[in-house]
């Protein structure tokens, strides 16, 4: 017959020492954890020891932190929540390492808030793996996903809310996550957030007013684009968010060849137009953050180009290109009867462009 | 002692296999055959390598013997072996010996999967000797001019241990295959399955998305062959998402999260 009496602090300490042997040292002991857990019922104690064992097999240090926090977390999280909390920490350890796992383990109250959601809610942490793959399939490269209250993109990272409960079921809210991710991906991929956007907006006396007109028009263009690219996704979304049409003077935005320049032209010219609010699935925008990221990326790529060009010179046994400014790189386009060609010259000498 | 050999007429392809060339692969292959050069086909799985060989066998009116190589395949499996049949010792030609005798095209599919001892019989056939040593019979077969040796392999997912050695690959004229461009792949699907143009277009788009996942959870994206399967299931009346799950998704991966993600892609595209 299974014993139901709670374990004493000494018994718990013995169990924990056995499980966490690899992590223990004079500064990291299990005495405090065992003392705290001694006040729990046997079922809770068993549950904690079960998860400590699982975590210790992946990372004993995380498991030690878990054990230390477990007694305090149990009233907040409950027994089921405790397991989800441990799994989340393990998942963070696998993806981002120890520091990320410890951040989860130090935040039991925050986890409790997330777990307190009703069953309709979808959580970013639960759908992150599928969204990662979904976005990679769309774009051919990994895009970073991060949690933020306001869904938007800075061209490098897609920010999505930590949980969504707008729609009636969890499956619907997971669908909303995918729709948001697809829309923000399209903003990044299809020219909405381009390097020329910030200078153009800042040339207007009221950049944010112009930005609102521009992003609303762009939402129409991207919606039409997604209807062509991912019709199934938008069809499933339509019962919750009926698809809108652009104003009659902006119908061209739905054409396959429309691009962001058309939205800029229309937004600039329609100064009296009051754009409607965007539906939630079309996210929000932060063009200043996007401009900062793009500038940083541009500078990084310029540095990389200079470095590659300098290596090319060195490989040819010549004086490296000036590093105090941009290399003297010119491109000469030549028209032929059968088309055109481009000749690249570096400091007046023809060159083969570096790979990548 | 008897010797069993097959009838070459059993290996002729009588109706034209559908094949859409992407470049100069047909004249290249014809020139290689005319010059008695062996051919190496490189490319991802399901992109049309086998179909190309079948098409060329039909085009050149030569018998085709195809061998799907596997990791237990030895040189003896290719050359032949003695068997006891009815109390009598009988020599039975292997597929490579049959192909040499018949002046056929011999296609060794996914050759790097075969055991390393197969190079002992491949090398002398693939250089200017064009000979097949049959040690057990003490016989040296010389290939007739019509014989062509064709190997295929997929550089994408072969391991270092199973890579094709330079001494082997440098005996061959290499033809590189890849997935067809979207418009052509759509036409292939329409022709092969009878699926309507819009569904074919979406299938190709879906395949492109799975190909983006190569190296990010998938060893390979969906090849044209899988799309043909999916198209046929759709024409048979199955919902596109269900057809894609069975014909594509489950063929690509066993990982539950990857399956869920690819299913979401299918649900979004169809």
């Amino acid at each position: 017959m299974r014993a139901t009496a709670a374990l004493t602090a000494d018994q718990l300490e013995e169990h924990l020492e056995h499980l966490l042997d690899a992590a223990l040292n004079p500064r990291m002991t299990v005495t405090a954890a065992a003392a705290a857990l001694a006040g729990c019922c046997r079922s809770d104690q068993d549950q904690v020891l079960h998860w400590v064992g699982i975590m210790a097999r992946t990372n004993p240090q995380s498991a030690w932190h878990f054990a230390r926090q477990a007694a305090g977390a149990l009233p907040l999280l409950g027994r089921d929540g405790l397991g989800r909390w441990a799994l989340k920490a393990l998942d963070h350890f696998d993806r981002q390492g120890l520091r990320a796992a410890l951040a989860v383990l130090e935040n039991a109250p925050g986890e409790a808030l997330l777990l307190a959601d009703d069953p309709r809610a979808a959580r970013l942490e639960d759908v992150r793996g599928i969204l990662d793959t979904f976005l990679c399939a769309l774009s051919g490269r990994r895009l970073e996903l991060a949690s933020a209250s306001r869904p938007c993109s800075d061209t490098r990272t897609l920010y999505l809310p930590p949980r969504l409960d707008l729609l009636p079921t969890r499956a619907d809210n997971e669908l909303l996550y995918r729709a948001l991710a697809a829309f923000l991906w399209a903003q990044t991929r299809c020219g909405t957030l381009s390097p020329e956007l910030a200078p153009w907006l800042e040339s207007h006396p009221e950049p944010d007013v112009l930005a609102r007109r521009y992003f609303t028009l762009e939402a129409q263009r991207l919606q039409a684009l997604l209807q062509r690219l991912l019709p199934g996704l938008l069809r499933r979304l339509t019962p919750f968010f009926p698809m809108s049409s652009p104003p009659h003077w902006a119908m061209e935005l739905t054409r396959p060849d429309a691009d962001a320049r058309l939205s800029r032209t229309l937004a600039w010219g329609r100064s009296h137009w009051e754009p409607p609010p965007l539906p939630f699935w079309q996210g929000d925008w932060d063009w200043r953050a996007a401009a900062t990221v793009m500038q940083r990326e541009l500078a990084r790529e310029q540095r990389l180009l200079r470095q590659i060009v300098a290596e090319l010179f060195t490989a040819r046994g010549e004086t490296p290109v000036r590093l105090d400014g941009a290399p003297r790189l010119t491109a000469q386009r030549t028209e032929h009867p059968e088309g055109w060609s481009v000749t690249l010259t570096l400091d007046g000498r023809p060159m083969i462009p570096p790979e990548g | 002692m008897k010797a069993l050999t097959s009838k070459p007429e059993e290996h002729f392809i009588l109706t034209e296999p559908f094949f859409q060339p992407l470049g100069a692969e047909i004249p290249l292959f014809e020139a290689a055959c005319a010059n008695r050069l062996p051919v190496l086909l490189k490319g991802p799985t399901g992109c049309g390598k086998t179909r190309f060989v079948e098409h060329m066998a039909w085009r050149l009116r030569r018998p085709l013997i195809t061998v799907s190589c596997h990791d237990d395949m030895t040189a003896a499996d290719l050359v032949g072996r003695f068997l006891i049949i009815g109390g009598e010792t009988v020599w039975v030609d292997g597929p490579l010996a049959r192909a040499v005798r018949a002046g056929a095209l011999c296609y060794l599919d996914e050759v790097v999967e075969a055991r390393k001892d197969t190079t002992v019989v491949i090398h002398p056939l693939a250089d200017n000797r064009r000979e097949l040593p049959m040690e057990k019979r003490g016989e040296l077969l010389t290939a007739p001019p019509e014989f062509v040796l064709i190997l295929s392999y997929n550089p994408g997912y072969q391991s270092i241990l199973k890579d094709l050695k330079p001494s082997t690959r440098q005996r061959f004229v290499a033809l590189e295959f890849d997935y067809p461009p979207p418009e052509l792949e759509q036409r292939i699907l329409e022709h092969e399955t009878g699926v309507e143009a819009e569904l074919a277009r979406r299938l190709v788009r879906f395949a492109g998305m799975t190909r983006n996942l190569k190296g990010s959870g998938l060893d390979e994206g969906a090849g044209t062959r899988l799309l043909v399967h999916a198209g046929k299931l759709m024409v048979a009346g199955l919902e596109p998402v269900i057809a894609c799950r069975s014909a594509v998704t489950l063929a690509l991966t066993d990982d539950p999260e990857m399956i869920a993600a690819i299913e979401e892609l299918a649900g979004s595209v169809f």
Side-chain angles (χ1 to χ4, degrees):
Chain A
M1 204 175 113
R2 189 176 166 185
T4 52
L7 297 170
T8 64
D10 287 343
Q11 288 170 318
L12 283 163
E13 192 167 347
E14 191 179 332
H15 279 294
L16 288 170
E17 276 180 351
H18 174 69
L19 293 170
L20 297 170
D21 184 44
L24 299 181
N25 60 45
R27 285 193 302 155
M28 288 174 71
T29 68
V30 291
T31 310
L37 282 170
C40 299
C41 70
R42 179 61 188 265
S43 301
D44 285 350
Q45 290 175 340
D46 285 343
Q47 185 75 344
V48 170
L49 291 172
H50 169 73
W51 283 106
V52 167
I54 289 174
M55 292 189 81
R57 286 197 287 275
T58 297
N59 179 256
Q61 209 174 340
S62 298
W64 180 81
H65 282 274
F66 175 80
R68 202 167 58 96
Q69 310 271 358
L74 261 168
L76 295 170
L77 298 170
R79 233 173 272 159
D80 290 341
L82 191 84
R84 291 181 70 175
W85 181 50
L87 279 179
K88 183 174 176 179
L90 283 176
D91 190 49
H92 276 63
F93 179 83
D94 289 340
R95 289 173 192 274
Q96 298 164 53
L98 181 61
R99 190 186 292 261
L102 296 187
V104 171
L105 293 174
E106 298 292 343
N107 186 30
E111 295 303 315
L113 278 177
L114 285 173
L115 290 168
D117 286 337
D118 62 51
R120 297 176 311 143
R123 304 186 321 141
L124 179 60
E125 288 309 318
D126 294 337
V127 296
R128 180 187 286 273
I130 287 177
L131 281 184
D132 266 335
T133 306
F134 187 78
L135 287 166
C136 183
L138 287 180
S139 62
R141 66 187 177 99
R142 293 270 174 211
L143 276 169
E144 282 178 26
L145 282 175
S147 171
S149 55
R150 193 172 149 216
C152 61
S153 163
D154 66 9
T155 73
R156 189 178 173 79
T157 305
L158 304 190
Y159 296 94
L160 295 171
R163 56 181 270 279
L164 288 176
D165 59 2
L166 284 179
L167 302 185
T169 68
R170 175 178 287 193
D172 296 334
N173 286 306
E174 289 174 354
L175 173 74
L176 184 53
Y177 264 123
R178 287 192 293 281
L180 265 172
F183 190 87
L184 296 176
W185 161 79
Q187 270 190 350
T188 301
R189 177 63 181 254
C190 303
T192 303
L193 297 166
S194 62
E196 59 262 35
L197 178 63
W200 175 73
L201 288 170
E202 282 162 352
S203 70
H204 193 272
E206 293 180 291
D208 288 311
V209 174
L210 179 63
R212 192 164 159 239
R213 290 205 295 271
Y214 168 74
F215 278 97
T216 307
L217 291 169
E218 272 294 271
Q220 289 294 337
R221 183 176 74 87
L222 298 181
Q223 177 185 297
L225 184 144
L226 289 175
Q227 269 172 329
R228 289 189 294 274
L229 187 69
L230 302 171
L233 178 66
L234 268 64
R235 190 175 59 244
R236 286 188 288 164
L237 200 64
T238 304
F240 310 113
F241 299 98
M243 298 296 140
S244 58
S245 294
H248 64 90
W249 45 265
M251 287 306 287
E252 271 184 281
L253 288 169
T254 60
R255 289 172 39 162
D257 59 350
D259 60 20
R261 284 173 301 185
L262 177 60
S263 296
R264 288 207 290 272
T265 306
L266 293 171
W268 191 279
R270 293 280 166 171
S271 53
H272 297 297
W273 176 56
E274 181 58 32
L278 290 182
F280 182 80
W281 76 274
Q282 294 181 344
D284 207 339
W285 58 84
D286 187 345
W287 60 271
R288 290 185 177 86
T292 305
V293 168
M294 281 186 281
Q295 275 174 1
R296 200 169 57 220
E297 285 294 299
L298 202 60
R300 190 183 66 82
E301 285 173 11
Q302 280 175 344
R303 271 198 311 276
L304 198 62
L305 176 65
R306 284 196 196 118
Q307 187 184 332
I308 291 170
V309 167
E311 283 168 7
L312 277 177
F313 269 83
T314 308
R316 294 197 312 209
E318 297 172 11
T319 313
V321 72
R322 295 170 301 145
L323 293 175
D324 54 337
R328 286 174 302 213
L329 186 66
T330 59
Q332 173 81 41
R333 180 177 161 130
T334 312
E335 302 289 339
H336 307 293
E338 66 274 17
W340 53 270
S341 62
V342 173
T343 305
L344 293 179
T345 58
L346 190 63
D347 282 355
R349 294 192 186 95
M351 69 167 286
I352 299 166
E355 286 183 11
Chain B
M1 188 177 76
K2 280 185 184 174
L4 294 181
T5 57
S6 70
K7 299 170 187 161
E9 63 270 21
E10 291 172 358
H11 298 286
F12 280 102
I13 292 173
L14 301 175
T15 51
E16 180 182 359
F18 177 73
F19 179 75
Q20 284 276 337
L22 279 177
E25 55 268 40
I26 290 177
L28 265 169
F29 191 94
E30 286 173 338
C33 290
N35 286 283
R36 302 175 196 181
L37 298 172
V39 178
L40 174 67
L41 309 180
K42 298 161 69 166
T45 187
C47 72
K49 298 188 292 292
T50 302
R51 177 60 65 89
F52 171 68
V53 174
E54 289 169 354
H55 180 84
M56 293 312 299
W58 169 83
R59 201 179 183 94
L60 298 170
R61 294 185 177 79
R62 291 194 202 166
L64 169 65
I65 294 178
T66 299
V67 183
S68 296
C69 301
H70 53 81
D71 52 10
D72 268 345
M73 176 170 282
T74 62
D77 292 322
L78 291 174
V79 174
R81 53 171 45 95
F82 287 109
L83 295 178
I84 307 290
I85 300 177
E88 199 175 355
T89 305
V90 177
W91 170 263
V92 180
D93 272 348
L96 190 56
R98 292 207 310 270
V100 171
R101 288 188 205 279
L105 307 188
C106 183
Y107 178 41
L108 303 184
D109 194 8
E110 299 292 355
V111 68
V112 291
E113 295 295 330
R115 287 202 192 173
K116 292 297 167 205
D117 72 333
T118 54
T119 56
V120 172
V121 293
I122 289 172
H123 282 196
L125 262 180
D127 56 29
N128 61 341
R129 288 172 285 172
R130 289 174 61 82
E131 289 169 343
L132 177 64
M134 301 172 82
E135 288 177 1
K136 289 197 181 74
R137 276 173 68 84
E139 187 180 355
L140 188 66
L141 278 186
T142 302
E146 296 80 17
F147 171 78
V148 185
L149 179 62
I150 307 150
L151 308 187
S152 80
Y153 88 117
N154 176 354
Y157 65 76
Q158 311 295 354
S159 70
I160 283 176
L161 289 174
K162 286 189 169 179
D163 204 1
L164 207 57
K165 285 198 223 171
S167 57
T168 304
R169 68 166 72 204
Q170 289 191 22
R171 285 171 152 79
F172 288 80
V173 171
L175 295 182
E176 191 165 32
F177 283 70
D178 203 348
Y179 303 119
E183 298 77 19
L184 177 57
E185 193 164 37
Q186 182 189 328
R187 279 208 303 279
I188 292 169
L189 292 181
E190 288 174 44
H191 180 277
E192 291 281 296
T193 67
V195 75
E196 65 184 70
E198 179 55 29
L199 274 181
R201 189 169 20 251
R202 291 187 194 184
L203 260 175
V204 170
R205 193 184 304 145
F206 172 58
M209 291 175 179
T210 65
R211 290 167 195 168
N212 282 339
L213 294 173
K214 181 176 176 177
S216 298
L218 289 184
D219 291 332
E220 285 281 354
T224 310
R225 185 194 293 132
L226 292 189
L227 303 188
V228 169
H229 296 173
K232 284 179 176 172
L233 294 180
M234 289 179 198
V235 169
L238 283 153
E239 286 291 319
V241 173
I242 295 171
C244 284
R245 174 180 170 82
S246 290
V248 179
T249 311
L250 296 178
L252 289 177
T253 181
D254 296 319
D255 174 34
E257 195 169 74
M258 184 58 77
I259 289 172
I262 297 175
E263 285 206 292
E264 284 308 328
L265 287 172
S268 298
V269 170
F270 290 100

